[in-house]
Amino acid sequence: SQQGEEDPQALSIQEGENATMNCSYKTSINNLQWYRQNSGRGLVHLILIRSNEREKHSGRLRVTLDTSKKSSSLLITASRAADTASYFCATVSWQEYGNKLVFGAGTILRVKS
Amino acid sequence: DVKVTQSSRYLVKRTGEKVFLECVQDMDHENMFWYRQDPGLGLRLIYFSYDVKMKEKGDIPEGYSVSREKKERFSLILESASTNQTSMYLCASSFNRGRSGYEQYFGPGTRLTVT
C-alpha cells in the first residue's frame, strides 16, 4: 500500500548547494511527514505538515504541501556532507489507512564535499 | 529525548528457528509498530499495537506474530524463520491522540539474516 512516491530516486550535489526532493501521494491526507535515514540506521523524524498548512520551516529545512496536486517538497538549503542519507515522505490518511504511516520508497541524497 | 531500543543490531539465525525481536520505548507511547525494510520495497508494516494486549495486522503479517504484555515493550516473533525473512526490522512508537496523527520514533533497527 505504498502511497507516497519520491522523486528523484537519487540525487547527488555539492556541499553548499540546495537539495529538493518531491513526494506525490494518491489519497486525501491528514498530514505528511518527512524522515531521514542514515545508512543502516533507523529513521529520524524531520518535520510534519498538516493538511491545512502550506509551508513549514525547521532550521535549513523547508517543506511545502499542495493538497490540490497531492504533492509535497522538501528543500534542504546549504547542504552539508552530513546530510547524506535517504529521505522518505510518509502520509497519514485516517479515512484510508487509520493511524498508520504509509511510506514512499525514498530519495537517496549524496552531498559531496 | 525519546528512546526506542531494539534488542540486537545484528542477528543470524537458521531456517526453522523461532526468533524473538524485542523493542522497548521510554516515552509512554500508546502506539508501537514493527516494519521490515528491503531494498526497492521501502518500509512495510508488519504489525502494530494501540495498547497493551492489543494488536492489528499490517500489510505483511504472514509468518509473524507479536506480543505486547507491557506498554513499553513490543515483541516481534518469527515462528519458524525462513530465508525470505532476511531483512532489516525497524520498531517505532508514537502517541495516539486522535486522528491528527503524530510522528513516529524509530529504533536503530535489527538486521536479521536467516541462513
Side-chain angles (χ1 to χ4, degrees):
Chain A
S1 60
Q2 194 164 297
Q3 145 114 295
E5 299 207 356
E6 285 92 340
D7 168 55
Q9 289 185 332
L11 182 60
S12 183
I13 59 174
Q14 290 292 137
E15 204 166 26
E17 293 181 339
N18 295 342
T20 299
M21 287 158 269
N22 302 297
C23 170
S24 60
Y25 56 90
K26 295 173 185 160
T27 66
S28 61
I29 60 170
N30 300 95
N31 70 61
L32 185 144
Q33 304 176 28
W34 284 91
Y35 288 81
R36 183 187 76 231
Q37 183 180 35
N38 291 92
S39 180
R41 308 293 296 184
L43 279 71
V44 174
H45 179 261
L46 295 176
I47 199 162
L48 181 155
I49 186 165
R50 302 198 186 280
S51 59
N52 60 354
E53 298 174 312
R54 291 296 166 256
E55 188 170 311
K56 208 159 181 182
H57 296 255
S58 176
R60 293 184 295 112
L61 305 181
R62 174 181 168 245
V63 168
T64 60
L65 179 65
D66 187 335
T67 52
S68 67
K69 294 181 180 177
K70 291 186 169 61
S71 68
S72 172
S73 67
L74 170 68
L75 168 67
I76 304 174
T77 59
S79 63
R80 305 166 181 168
D83 294 327
T84 294
S86 294
Y87 291 82
F88 295 88
C89 70
T91 53
V92 173
S93 178
W94 183 270
Q95 192 166 357
E96 297 288 333
Y97 305 111
N99 205 15
K100 295 184 284 186
L101 273 179
V102 180
F103 286 86
T107 293
I108 300 170
L109 172 66
R110 182 182 169 212
V111 181
K112 294 176 283 188
S113 56
Chain B
D1 269 357
V2 176
K3 197 162 184 183
V4 180
T5 57
Q6 295 183 228
S7 49
S8 305
R9 288 283 286 126
Y10 299 94
L11 208 53
V12 180
K13 294 292 182 179
R14 294 197 179 275
T15 301
E17 278 193 83
K18 192 169 186 175
V19 181
F20 293 86
L21 302 181
E22 302 279 331
C23 175
V24 178
Q25 51 94 3
D26 66 359
M27 273 299 291
D28 204 34
H29 284 164
E30 295 89 356
N31 294 342
M32 295 189 76
F33 306 83
W34 275 107
Y35 297 88
R36 64 177 281 176
Q37 184 178 26
D38 301 287
L41 296 176
L43 274 82
R44 293 179 293 167
L45 182 64
I46 304 171
Y47 267 99
F48 60 105
S49 169
Y50 290 132
D51 202 350
V52 176
K53 296 193 187 297
M54 304 274 294
K55 60 184 179 183
E56 297 276 347
K57 292 180 181 178
D59 299 319
I60 50 164
E62 296 79 19
Y64 303 94
S65 62
V66 290
S67 172
R68 192 160 179 207
E69 296 296 318
K70 294 185 177 180
K71 191 174 185 179
E72 68 271 18
R73 188 179 298 266
F74 193 35
S75 302
L76 180 70
I77 303 150
L78 287 66
E79 296 290 341
S80 177
S82 63
T83 54
N84 63 12
Q85 293 178 309
T86 291
S87 187
M88 168 73 104
Y89 289 87
L90 293 163
C91 174
S93 69
S94 76
F95 288 116
N96 180 21
R97 293 175 183 169
R99 297 187 172 196
S100 58
Y102 281 80
E103 60 267 33
Q104 293 185 10
Y105 295 85
F106 282 80
T110 295
R111 189 166 294 281
L112 173 67
T113 302
V114 183
T115 60

